[in-house]
Amino acid sequence: EPEVTQTPSHQVTQMGQEVILRCVPISNHLYFYWYRQILGQKVEFLVSFYNNEISEKSEIFDDQFSVERPDGSNFTLKIRSTKLEDSAMYFCASSVFESQNGYTFGSGTRLTVV
Amino acid sequence: GENVEQHPSTLSVQEGDSAVIKCTYSDSASNYFPWYKQELGKRPQLIIDIRSNVGEKKDQRIAVTLNKTAKHFSLHITETQPEDSAVYFCAASIDYKLSFGAGTTVTVRA
């Protein structure tokens, strides 16, 4: 069964540093998403991406965040200047169509900001 | 935006008994309601979903019901087994954005 893959699985970074989280969506999927989950809390929507542009973003997705699909396969989330409160599990997801058929989530990247 | 409330936050059941988790949503335009199971440190995995034009859906020991008028939907797990122990999240969707509930930690006692 096709999978969404994410790298790295765990990233530790110092506050103020930039991080890039990488995702390889399922190859025939057209919609891409980032969600985050702070430890012990619910999964929260960050951003959706379609046709090489952001479709929608949440209040969490401020100017410190950006996404891009640099080479047609990878889908990246960049946090420009990390804060302690950015520590969370970040999940990438993709879908063929809009979410009506359910997402396939990646295995996640645990980001720890120290 | 959409607000999804989920209850209970924790649920302990005896193996073989049923478990029921309930969610309510605020936006009547939501039209897709998936349920995810998440084991510790792992990704959320879709276990069942329902669309707004359907009132009930069943897949083996798992069933979901939807009441559009009342804006609530429920997950039913029958004949629970130890491997059903996990955190379960409901979600509601308009277009492509999922809004999740806060999760229910289900513990199945042997």
Side-chain angles (χ1 to χ4, degrees), chain A residues 42, chain B residues 3-7 22-26 73 90 100-102:
Chain A
K42 66 179 174 182
Chain B
N3 183 43
V4 178
E5 299 284 340
Q6 184 171 348
H7 299 279
K22 298 183 179 181
C23 289
T24 60
Y25 61 99
S26 60
F73 56 114
C90 64
F100 283 83

Side-chain angles (χ1 to χ4, degrees), chain A residues 42-43, chain B residues 1-7 21-27 30 32-35 71-73 88-94 97-103:
Chain A
K42 66 179 174 182
V43 180
Chain B
E2 175 66 280
N3 183 43
V4 178
E5 299 284 340
Q6 184 171 348
H7 299 279
I21 304 170
K22 298 183 179 181
C23 289
T24 60
Y25 61 99
S26 60
D27 193 331
S30 289
Y32 174 68
F33 307 91
W35 285 87
K71 290 190 282 188
H72 67 71
F73 56 114
Y88 291 80
F89 290 96
C90 64
S93 170
I94 303 171
K97 186 177 99 174
L98 288 177
S99 297
F100 283 83

Side-chain angles (χ1 to χ4, degrees), chain A residues 6-9 11 19 21-23 33-38 43-44 46 60-61 65 77-79 82-93 105-113, chain B residues 44:
Chain A
Q6 287 186 244
T7 55
S9 58
Q11 172 109 33
V19 294
L21 310 183
R22 291 182 168 80
C23 169
Y33 316 87
W34 283 100
Y35 283 75
R36 80 170 186 190
Q37 185 178 32
I38 295 171
V43 180
E44 299 173 291
L46 290 179
I60 304 166
F61 195 89
F65 291 87
L77 174 69
K78 182 191 291 185
I79 308 174
T82 50
K83 304 186 285 288
L84 295 176
E85 53 265 39
D86 293 327
S87 295
M89 194 76 159
Y90 288 81
F91 292 104
C92 173
F105 280 98
S107 54
T109 293
R110 179 167 299 285
L111 176 66
T112 304
V113 182

